[in-house]
């Protein structure tokens, strides 16, 4: 009922999860990321406890495969689960339970994994993986979106479309990018629209906000307002 990408960008150290499904609010249940550690998506009959356990295992130095094995060992419903992960070394692992609904499976690539279940066909995962692997010319968010769109064109979730999410983290304890479409007739189209808005409204000021390197962030109000005006956003912020 879901397919997703977990990925690590070696150039920036970013971790990402991009996911879509025919169910409400997929972004609330599938993606789990931890800066410096890895990214996980838990899906099918999702067990949200698995994501943090896998991340904790990788934080202790376990490989993604060992972290998945350890987490699933304590889950009596493992046959219903699908979960995949990537770590800080770009290693990936995936598990698809024996009771997941066809089509179900995964494809591993260099620093990324694509996994899905209840899909129209195996081409959904294959096309998603092919496009993600081939579009290294794109920034990571757009690359992830192009890949999901390709999977949708190959058939997507066999039930239809409803929600999607895109989460990326690099250096902070919170995501750089966290976009969700919880209920929409064309969730990937809407998520792409939100990404374009994020590029204009949020990304330019992202590096002036409080961070590990600069705990207070930019505090000069004149400089902040100058940034708003430069982007034509002064009226929007002063409403």
């Amino acid at each position: 009922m879901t397919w997703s990408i977990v990925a690590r960008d070696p150039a920036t150290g970013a971790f990402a999860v991009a996911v879509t499904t025919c169910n409400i609010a997929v972004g609330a249940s599938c993606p789990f990321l931890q800066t410096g550690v890895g990214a996980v998506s838990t899906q099918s009959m999702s067990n949200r406890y698995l994501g943090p356990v896998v991340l904790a295992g990788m934080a202790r130095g376990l490989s993604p495969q060992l972290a998945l094995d350890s987490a699933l060992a304590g889950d009596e419903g493992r046959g219903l689960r699908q979960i995949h992960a990537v770590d800080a070394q770009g290693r990936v692992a995936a598990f698809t339970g024996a009771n997941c609904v066809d089509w179900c499976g995964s494809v591993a690539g260099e620093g990324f994994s694509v996994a899905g279940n209840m899909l129209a066909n195996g081409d959904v995962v294959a096309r998603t993986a092919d496009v993600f692997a081939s579009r290294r010319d794109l920034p990571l968010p757009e690359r992830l979106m192009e890949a999901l769109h390709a999977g949708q064109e190959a058939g997507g979730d066999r039930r239809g479309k409803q929600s999607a999410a895109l989460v990326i983290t690099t250096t902070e304890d919170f995501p750089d990018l966290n976009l969700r479409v919880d209920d929409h007739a064309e969730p990937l189209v809407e998520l792409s629209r939100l990404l374009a808005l994020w590029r204009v409204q949020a990304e330019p000021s992202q590096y002036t906000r409080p961070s590990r390197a600069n705990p207070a962030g930019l505090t000069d109000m004149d400089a902040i307002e100058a940034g708003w005006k430069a982007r034509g956003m002064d009226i929007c912020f002063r409403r």
Side-chain angles (χ1 to χ4, degrees):
M1 61 183 72
T2 303
W3 86 99
S4 64
I5 311 168
V6 298
R8 178 182 180 272
D9 180 7
T12 63
F15 292 105
V17 177
V19 58
T20 188
T21 190
C22 185
N23 204 345
I24 190 169
V26 69
S29 59
C30 291
F32 293 85
L33 302 90
Q34 184 175 341
T35 297
V37 174
V40 179
S41 183
T42 173
Q43 49 204 52
S44 185
M45 301 297 182
S46 182
N47 180 346
R48 287 179 287 180
Y49 285 101
L50 293 177
V53 172
V54 172
L55 287 173
M58 293 193 297
R60 295 196 310 271
L62 296 182
S63 69
Q65 187 62 64
L66 286 175
L68 287 187
D69 291 345
S70 177
L72 288 162
D75 184 358
E76 294 182 357
R78 68 183 72 89
L80 298 169
R81 316 298 182 211
Q82 185 174 62
I83 183 169
H84 57 151
V86 62
D87 72 359
Q89 298 178 48
R91 298 176 296 181
V92 298
F95 171 83
T96 298
N99 297 322
C100 290
V101 179
D102 282 337
W103 189 95
C104 56
S106 62
V107 174
E110 185 179 349
F112 74 93
S113 170
V114 180
N117 62 91
M118 203 181 283
L119 302 180
N121 53 66
D123 290 343
V124 177
V125 164
R127 282 293 296 147
T128 301
D130 287 347
V131 170
F132 186 78
S134 65
R135 293 307 309 270
R136 296 180 185 273
D137 56 306
L138 292 174
L140 182 60
E142 284 78 8
R143 184 180 171 195
L144 290 160
M145 291 307 307
E146 284 288 323
L148 287 184
H149 279 292
Q152 185 62 60
E153 290 171 4
D157 186 323
R158 74 187 202 187
R159 301 166 303 166
K161 316 166 193 174
Q162 189 169 0
S163 68
L166 175 60
V167 188
I168 298 176
T169 183
T170 53
T171 60
E172 305 305 320
D173 295 333
F174 43 81
D176 298 46
L177 173 62
N178 190 355
L179 299 177
R180 286 174 45 175
V181 176
D182 286 346
D183 180 34
H184 198 278
E186 293 290 345
L188 291 180
V189 173
E190 177 65 4
L191 191 59
S192 292
R193 186 187 71 84
L194 293 178
L195 176 57
L197 283 177
W198 177 84
R199 287 288 190 198
V200 173
Q201 294 187 0
E203 186 187 26
S205 62
Q206 179 176 345
Y207 304 105
T208 66
R209 297 172 186 167
S211 65
R212 288 180 179 180
N214 182 7
L218 180 63
T219 59
D220 183 336
M221 195 62 197
D222 289 338
I224 291 170
E225 289 192 340
W228 294 347
K229 290 176 181 177
R231 301 195 302 278
M233 297 171 64
D234 185 52
I235 294 175
C236 177
F237 275 93
R238 288 187 170 275
R239 285 178 182 170

